[in-house]
Amino acid sequence: MTETATTTASAASTATAAAASTGTAERRGRPRNAALDTAVVETVLRLLEEGVPLGALSMERIAREAGIGKATVYRRWPGKEALMLDVMRSLEHEAPEPVGASVRDDLVTLLEVLRRRGLAKRESAVLRTALAQVKAHPKLWQEYHEKVVRVRREAVHAVLRRGMATGEVRSDLDVELMGELIVSPMLSRAMFHDRAELPEDLPGKIVDAVLAGIRPH
């Protein structure tokens, strides 16, 4: 299987789970068709990859391109904003649950998710395009941060707070600032610099460098 095909399959699988979690289920008593959910999300990804502006993506056009009825799309998503949130979710790798063995190990695990996202070349290209267009729509950008980015950020914060409680991390430091110091170097390389190397040991190097400054002395 090619890299593109693998990534498409992964995004499709994530899209199905994401769509089911938005609270926009079909009318009571009518089960959702996962294949239709996936077809719609994959259609939006394809159109974005082809350079179609977000403003030109009406629900009617998405339905037509996906080969399904407009009413079917509206039964799943009340509007384009809700649909785009599921599209963005489909580009997110599911983060593994931190095992709690050590702050270092859990932070490395969370950064590895970002590293793998950067390695998925097609996915990164689509995500950069989608992010650029979503930023131009303030309401949608805020929703993306509230429902997608915040979940990822809070996972890092939870690990740091646990480290404060166990004495692995200094308790006098700002959790949000520490989180940014840990995540930003990987995010910069993975999402904004196409040619930046993403070696397997990069998550560990980033975490070790930051922990050297935030461990109790």
Side-chain angles (χ1 to χ4, degrees):
M1 184 179 293
T2 65
E3 181 181 25
T4 298
T6 301
T7 304
T8 300
S10 175
S13 175
T14 309
T16 301
S21 68
T22 61
T24 56
E26 286 190 82
R27 295 169 184 169
R28 188 181 302 276
R30 295 190 63 186
R32 293 185 66 133
N33 185 324
L36 286 178
D37 292 343
T38 299
V40 172
V41 171
E42 283 295 298
T43 295
V44 176
L45 288 173
R46 174 177 58 80
L47 291 171
L48 289 174
E49 196 171 22
E50 291 173 356
V52 178
L54 183 58
L57 286 179
S58 64
M59 297 291 271
E60 292 79 5
R61 178 174 182 179
I62 292 168
R64 184 174 65 252
E65 293 279 352
I68 60 178
K70 180 176 66 174
T72 300
V73 177
Y74 274 110
R75 278 198 296 269
R76 286 158 170 77
W77 297 277
K80 188 168 68 174
E81 289 78 11
L83 172 55
M84 280 303 301
L85 283 177
D86 279 347
V87 170
M88 299 302 289
R89 283 192 181 97
S90 77
L91 295 171
E92 296 283 326
H93 286 288
E94 184 176 356
E97 193 71 23
V99 297
S102 72
V103 167
R104 180 193 184 277
D105 291 347
D106 285 347
L107 291 175
V108 168
T109 296
L110 293 173
L111 283 191
E112 175 63 15
V113 175
L114 292 178
R115 189 185 77 88
R116 286 190 284 110
R117 183 171 62 168
L119 290 173
K121 298 302 184 183
R122 171 190 177 269
E123 182 174 300
S124 292
V126 174
L127 183 55
R128 283 195 299 273
T129 299
L131 282 173
Q133 298 203 38
V134 168
K135 284 181 180 179
H137 296 74
K139 181 180 177 181
L140 182 54
W141 182 243
Q142 182 179 356
E143 285 287 304
Y144 172 69
H145 269 266
E146 289 292 324
K147 296 183 178 180
V148 179
V149 176
R150 175 180 286 185
V151 173
R152 186 169 62 227
R153 182 182 299 146
E154 288 182 347
V156 174
H157 292 172
V159 173
L160 290 169
R161 290 191 183 98
R162 193 189 75 230
M164 288 178 167
T166 61
E168 296 173 80
V169 175
R170 286 168 52 188
S171 60
D172 62 325
L173 298 177
D174 182 81
V175 169
E176 291 191 6
L177 176 59
M178 288 189 290
E180 290 177 0
L181 290 172
I182 290 167
V183 173
S184 295
M186 181 65 76
L187 192 61
S188 176
R189 283 197 176 204
M191 301 310 303
F192 304 118
H193 299 286
D194 291 341
R195 298 182 181 180
E197 294 184 359
L198 296 169
E200 290 185 9
D201 62 349
L202 183 58
K205 286 183 175 180
I206 292 173
V207 171
D208 287 341
V210 177
L211 285 180
I214 66 176
R215 279 196 181 105
H217 296 294

